[in-house]
Amino acid sequence: MVIPWLVVGALASGVASVAFLRYLWAYRTKPGARFFIATIACEALWSVSYGAALLVFDPRLRQVMEIPIWLAINFIGVFFLAFALEYTGRGSLVRSKWMGALVALQTVHTAVVVTHPLHRFALNDYTIEPLLGAATVTYTHGPWLFVNVTGVILTIAAASFLLFDTFFSYGPLYRTQAAAVAISPALPGIAFLLWLLEIGEFWRANLTSLTFPIHLAF
């Protein structure tokens, strides 16, 4: 049996994320560290779940395997924003009603996406269309899905802005660190948009998880 390279890449990203989690654990008491660990945990869940899903050609089971993927997608931005707030000295906002509302909103988004067979608000016409031997899928992106992913993108952008603000405002001590973390979501973000907007030859494959090792390197 030949394992498709898309599967290998996604699972390798998951392994890299787990290895990075082990490294980060020693720093879990540092400002923002617990939320940064949660962010990387979402990357690990996304990568492993997607890699496993690419091996499943049964449509019903394949849809079930979307659940952990979308759980990771919808909360990776929440955790990254919480990390940025605490890391930049705005930890009180993490415990604010606004953050609570964001968590509630992403919970609703996740519930809508994973229950799509019941109402089809977020996606429709879910079909397995294999690519390079992997069980990639196509479906119509409904308006709710675009609202959902727009929220994810905006939370990550807000977190990056906070980190760039640190880069420009707080002097040279943490500039390199803050800049590296702020820049790190760029490549995964591009890969995600290529999938969402169906751009390129391989758009059926969501290559976001395969870019995570570069993100981890930053």
Side-chain angles (χ1 to χ4, degrees), residues 203-215:
W203 68 264
R204 295 201 303 277
N206 188 338
L207 300 177
T208 309
S209 61
L210 277 69
T211 67
F212 285 156
I214 299 174
H215 164 73

Side-chain angles (χ1 to χ4, degrees), residues 185-196 208 211:
L187 186 58
I190 292 171
F192 190 76
L193 286 174
L194 290 176
W195 166 80
L196 179 67
T208 309
T211 67

Side-chain angles (χ1 to χ4, degrees), residues 168-180:
F168 287 114
S169 304
Y170 289 1
L173 183 59
Y174 297 111
R175 278 186 175 177
T176 301
Q177 186 180 61

Side-chain angles (χ1 to χ4, degrees), residues 5 40 48 64 136 203:
W5 69 265
I40 304 304
V48 173
V64 171
T136 51
W203 68 264

Side-chain angles (χ1 to χ4, degrees), residues 89-153:
R90 301 174 174 89
S92 60
L93 293 176
V94 176
R95 295 172 290 279
S96 70
K97 61 181 181 180
W98 301 108
M99 183 60 74
L102 178 60
V103 171
L105 178 62
Q106 293 308 96
T107 301
V108 170
H109 281 321
T110 304
V112 170
V113 171
V114 302
T115 60
H116 71 88
L118 302 177
H119 46 70
R120 306 183 190 279
F121 290 157
L123 50 101
N124 205 350
D125 302 322
Y126 192 96
T127 306
I128 294 180
E129 293 190 12
L131 176 69
L132 302 175
T136 51
V137 297
T138 62
Y139 46 79
T140 302
H141 297 167
W144 192 295
L145 189 70
F146 281 100
V147 172
N148 184 167
V149 298
T150 297
V152 174
I153 292 169

